[in-house]
Amino acid sequence: MNANDPFVLGGVSLTSRLFIGTGKYGADSLIPAVAEASGSQVITVAMRRVDKPAPQSGGSAPAQGSPGIMSHIPGHMRLLPNTSGARNAEEAVRLARLARAAGCGDWIKIEVISDTRHLLPDGYETAKATEILAKEGFTVLPYINADLYVARACAEAGAAAVMPLGAPIGTNRGLRTKEMIAILIEEMDLPVIVDAGIGRPSQACEAMEMGAAACLVNTAIASANDPVVMARAFGEAVQAGRNAWLAGAGFVRGMAGGAEASSPLTGFLR
Amino acid sequence: MKTFQDFLQNWPAQRRAEAVEKATEEQVFSVLNKNNLQPEDFLTLLSPAASPHLERMARRAHELTLRFFGRAVHIFTPLYISDVCTNQCRYCGFNAKNKQPRHHLSVDEAAAEARAIADLGFQHILLLTGDARHLSSPQYIADVARRIKPLFASVGIEVYSLTTDEYALLVDAGVDSMTMFQETYNPELYAWLHPAGPKRDYAFRLNAPQRAAEAGMRSMGVGALLGLESFEQDAFATGLHGWWLQRNYPGMDVSVSIPRICPHEGSFDVPHALDDRHLVQYVTALRCFLPRAGITCSSRESAFMRDHLLPLGVTRVSAGVSTAVGGRVTEDAHNPGQFEITDGRSLDEMTAALRGMGYQPVLKDWENPASAC
């Protein structure tokens, strides 16, 4: 973590540029250790998994020894509730409002997915939801395809950052959209947070080296044999990549500038 | 509109049988190295050529399950609200010919049973009824659903086939998921198994999931009762049904149930009783073919089998199951259930078992955006 290089998002200053998730763990009780090892300060949670008291439950209690997921999230972490399950803008907006009403704060990660085969986000509906929620005072982080036009639409709609996917969600395939992410980093004034598909710390490091503001990693940590050690690896990799970007990589001599030609094309100028 | 029934015409039984017979070991290996499987690939994994390679299939299925579902297992429980039935299905305990006391819960009784279930900690409930429109009408099911919806994150149904408008009525009442067992996809066998009652209409049942999807149902489960027809035929048709639903209704969550009939269940000898190896072959093939589909394993299976199927692809299990109507808080009618359960673990026992295996029991996995704020 680098206190001299804060990541300011939604008016909040963060020292870690790794965001983590809460899904797919063998036990929610792993979350505190994962969070600590990763150094992360932001954690996303699906509203569909968040317990809320049933209004007419007659005092129904969780199953014995089954505290809700929220009880495992360290108090110092900033919650990033997400709208998993929403298939259009209206549903995403409803879930965001529910999250705020449930005390999860004003940050919201917009997920609008109406294709359960590939789980690719719907850019048009995402931008619509972003506009509505930004006007309501949310800090909106839309999960999008690595698409410049969608990113711009979300920026115009009031997003605090954009979260392009590196590869289809859950695949651990790495930065398959690297070229497009590079364009977003180059073109967007908003922070670019690479979300989905990152499978290894080296890939997170690469995203940060490119100039991504942060990475969100869930499956790669949760599905590791040792999630805590993997979380630490990701935390270190993200920091290393960030440091590399700050340092400015040295010039890489490419093929065109490689060997000195014995008969240079511009020799006639001598 | 094209239906699954139309699509199934592309895969007549003869074509399926020939593909299964011709499948080779090399094709099995090739399929296991593919990312996106086609129906013919699924058939290859269901073939005898794949049978010696269950471990290889299991490893692939395990990896896909971890990737897309992690170590989280969804838990639900059924609530039977009526066993009055006008059908005469040869394999079912609710068969109208069976002379037994029948029980039908009033809306108040169903709500009381549901409250008892909610108090145990369940958040996903599945309502089941026999097929008796005169008593368990769509409106009655809707009334029960609307009443119990505040108690649960999700209310599902496993009831007789409905029209699109009737499914819409239930969606409006808060039902978000449905399960429909075709039992067998062989129309001739289906006719023999269902000699009387409205369930005799093969096509109306086959296309019910599509009507439910059109009505706005969020989640859909399909399944055959394994053992009625040869393994490859019904296993393939079931997976194909899930695949077709995913492709035509991409916004819907699709799951596949894997019940197998006991060798001496019903009023006949089960012609194609499924052994454990074939069940494992089915689960692993399903996971490879439908990586993101839920796979549901009911309490028909033993605790031993359910526990061992989890790493292979099963993502949804029931707990605290009773297949009889009432008995939790309403008067126990001592009626026999629809079928014998084998895994009688309570919710607490199931959650403890899952944790012991390194899995997270997920009691809540839905927040209906339509009713949120």
Side-chain angles (χ1 to χ4, degrees):
Chain A
M1 293 199 293
N2 188 345
N4 297 322
D5 174 37
F7 174 28
V8 179
L9 184 62
V12 175
S13 183
L14 303 167
T15 52
S16 167
R17 292 172 178 266
L18 173 63
F19 295 5
I20 60 173
T22 49
K24 302 186 181 179
Y25 286 101
D28 284 341
S29 55
L30 278 167
I31 291 171
V34 165
E36 183 179 6
S38 70
S40 175
Q41 297 163 295
V42 178
I43 188 164
T44 189
V45 59
M47 287 310 295
R48 64 189 296 164
R49 289 269 173 100
V50 174
D51 279 314
K52 61 182 198 298
Q56 301 169 36
S57 66
S60 67
Q64 198 172 32
S66 177
I69 192 168
M70 301 296 280
S71 66
H72 295 285
I73 295 176
H76 73 274
M77 297 196 78
R78 176 151 294 266
L79 273 180
L80 179 57
N82 68 59
T83 63
S84 168
R87 296 190 301 193
N88 55 44
E90 182 186 355
E91 292 181 351
V93 167
R94 286 176 178 272
L95 287 170
R97 291 171 180 162
L98 175 70
R100 182 150 68 180
C104 295
D106 287 335
W107 285 27
I108 191 76
K109 176 187 164 188
I110 302 294
E111 279 188 39
V112 180
I113 294 170
S114 54
D115 185 317
T116 57
R117 279 170 58 81
H118 304 289
L119 302 181
L120 295 172
D122 181 328
Y124 176 70
E125 294 291 324
T126 298
K128 279 204 298 183
T130 298
E131 182 171 24
I132 293 166
L133 293 169
K135 284 178 179 170
E136 293 183 10
F138 282 90
T139 295
V140 184
L141 308 181
Y143 167 60
I144 61 171
N145 269 299
D147 181 301
L148 181 60
Y149 296 97
V150 172
R152 282 176 174 158
C154 288
E156 288 171 14
V162 290
M163 304 181 80
L165 58 84
I169 200 166
T171 60
N172 285 352
R173 288 185 185 163
L175 295 177
R176 298 301 175 105
T177 60
K178 182 178 176 180
E179 296 297 331
M180 301 302 122
I181 288 174
I183 290 171
L184 295 188
I185 291 169
E186 182 181 348
E187 294 293 331
M188 301 298 297
D189 292 331
L190 292 180
V192 173
I193 301 168
V194 179
D195 177 12
I198 293 176
R200 288 179 168 72
S202 56
Q203 294 158 354
C205 187
E206 184 178 19
M208 298 303 294
E209 281 183 16
M210 289 165 56
C215 292
L216 192 153
V217 180
N218 179 52
T219 301
I221 295 174
S223 63
N225 289 336
D226 189 333
V228 175
V229 174
M230 187 60 82
R232 181 175 302 114
F234 267 102
E236 292 168 353
V238 165
Q239 187 60 60
R242 178 65 181 176
N243 288 342
W245 185 82
L246 289 172
F251 171 70
V252 178
R253 187 180 283 261
M255 289 297 291
E260 293 289 340
S262 55
S263 303
L265 292 172
T266 54
F268 68 95
L269 294 174
R270 291 177 183 172
Chain B
M1 177 182 292
K2 288 282 187 183
T3 65
F4 178 64
Q5 188 179 17
D6 300 326
F7 181 73
L8 196 56
Q9 303 299 318
N10 300 321
W11 289 94
Q14 181 72 14
R15 180 184 175 189
R16 298 180 220 169
E18 285 174 2
V20 161
E21 192 179 341
K22 289 178 181 173
T24 65
E25 187 178 67
E26 289 74 18
Q27 286 175 319
V28 172
F29 296 158
S30 171
V31 167
L32 288 175
N33 284 318
K34 288 178 73 171
N35 275 325
N36 298 301
L37 273 58
Q38 297 302 305
E40 47 269 45
D41 299 323
F42 182 44
L43 263 178
T44 298
L45 295 183
L46 295 172
S47 73
S51 185
H53 305 291
L54 287 191
E55 182 60 28
R56 199 180 286 226
M57 288 172 65
R59 290 183 188 281
R60 177 74 175 142
H62 177 61
E63 182 242 323
L64 288 168
T65 306
L66 266 188
R67 183 191 298 178
F68 293 116
F69 294 90
R71 294 181 176 88
V73 179
H74 171 109
I75 298 182
F76 68 98
T77 200
L79 171 58
Y80 284 75
I81 55 178
S82 179
D83 61 6
V84 179
C85 193
T86 57
N87 291 321
Q88 294 179 16
C89 313
R90 295 181 191 268
Y91 48 81
C92 182
F94 289 178
N95 187 320
K97 280 185 167 178
N98 291 352
K99 299 304 176 196
Q100 63 189 47
R102 303 284 171 157
H103 205 47
H104 175 87
L105 300 181
S106 68
V107 174
D108 285 345
E109 287 173 328
E113 291 282 326
R115 185 179 300 280
I117 287 171
D119 284 345
L120 293 171
F122 286 105
Q123 297 217 42
H124 288 242
I125 191 168
L126 182 67
L127 295 177
L128 297 96
T129 68
D131 190 343
R133 278 179 169 269
H134 64 286
L135 196 60
S136 305
S137 66
Q139 187 60 58
Y140 159 77
I141 300 167
D143 290 343
V144 172
R146 198 179 302 278
R147 218 16 216 288
I148 71 172
K149 179 63 184 128
L151 303 173
F152 298 97
S154 167
V155 176
I157 53 164
E158 188 186 320
V159 302
Y160 52 92
S161 308
L162 303 174
T163 66
T164 306
D165 286 347
E166 288 165 343
Y167 281 124
L169 173 76
L170 294 178
V171 169
D172 186 59
V175 173
D176 50 69
S177 72
M178 68 91 81
T179 301
M180 181 56 72
F181 290 102
Q182 185 61 27
E183 318 298 9
T184 178
Y185 287 82
N186 175 336
E188 292 79 22
L189 177 61
Y190 185 94
W192 180 80
L193 287 165
H194 306 96
K199 192 172 172 179
R200 269 188 66 77
D201 191 335
Y202 170 89
F204 190 62
R205 192 171 184 90
L206 185 64
N207 297 320
Q210 185 173 4
R211 292 193 300 276
E214 294 290 340
M217 202 67 76
R218 300 294 299 236
S219 182
M220 183 74 56
V222 294
L225 187 51
L226 301 165
L228 299 174
E229 167 62 293
S230 72
F231 165 65
E232 296 93 345
Q233 291 286 342
D234 268 350
F236 173 73
T238 307
L240 193 71
H241 201 171
W243 183 83
W244 184 88
L245 286 166
Q246 279 190 335
R247 291 179 73 89
N248 285 274
Y249 299 95
M252 203 172 58
D253 284 319
V254 172
S255 60
V256 178
S257 295
I258 54 168
R260 53 177 173 169
I261 192 166
C262 301
H264 302 293
E265 197 173 333
S267 58
F268 62 98
D269 284 332
V270 177
H272 301 281
L274 205 70
D275 61 21
D276 293 351
R277 282 189 65 85
H278 276 101
L279 185 63
V280 165
Q281 186 173 357
Y282 183 37
V283 170
T284 54
L286 269 177
R287 174 54 65 228
C288 294
F289 182 46
L290 303 172
R292 288 186 170 91
I295 299 180
T296 307
C297 188
S298 80
S299 55
R300 277 177 176 269
E301 294 297 334
S302 67
F304 176 87
M305 181 56 69
R306 292 218 289 174
D307 290 353
H308 283 84
L309 287 176
L310 285 172
L312 308 186
V314 167
T315 57
R316 294 158 45 91
V317 296
S318 53
V321 174
S322 164
T323 63
V325 177
R328 290 180 178 86
V329 291
T330 58
E331 183 185 352
D332 190 342
H334 300 294
N335 48 346
Q338 186 184 26
F339 59 87
E340 286 288 323
I341 65 169
T342 311
D343 184 357
R345 285 178 289 185
S346 68
L347 176 59
D348 288 343
E349 289 168 335
M350 180 61 77
T351 54
L354 289 171
R355 289 196 185 95
M357 292 185 288
Y359 283 89
Q360 181 182 179
V362 175
L363 297 178
K364 179 178 185 286
D365 193 20
W366 183 238
E367 187 67 57
N368 191 344
S371 58
C373 290

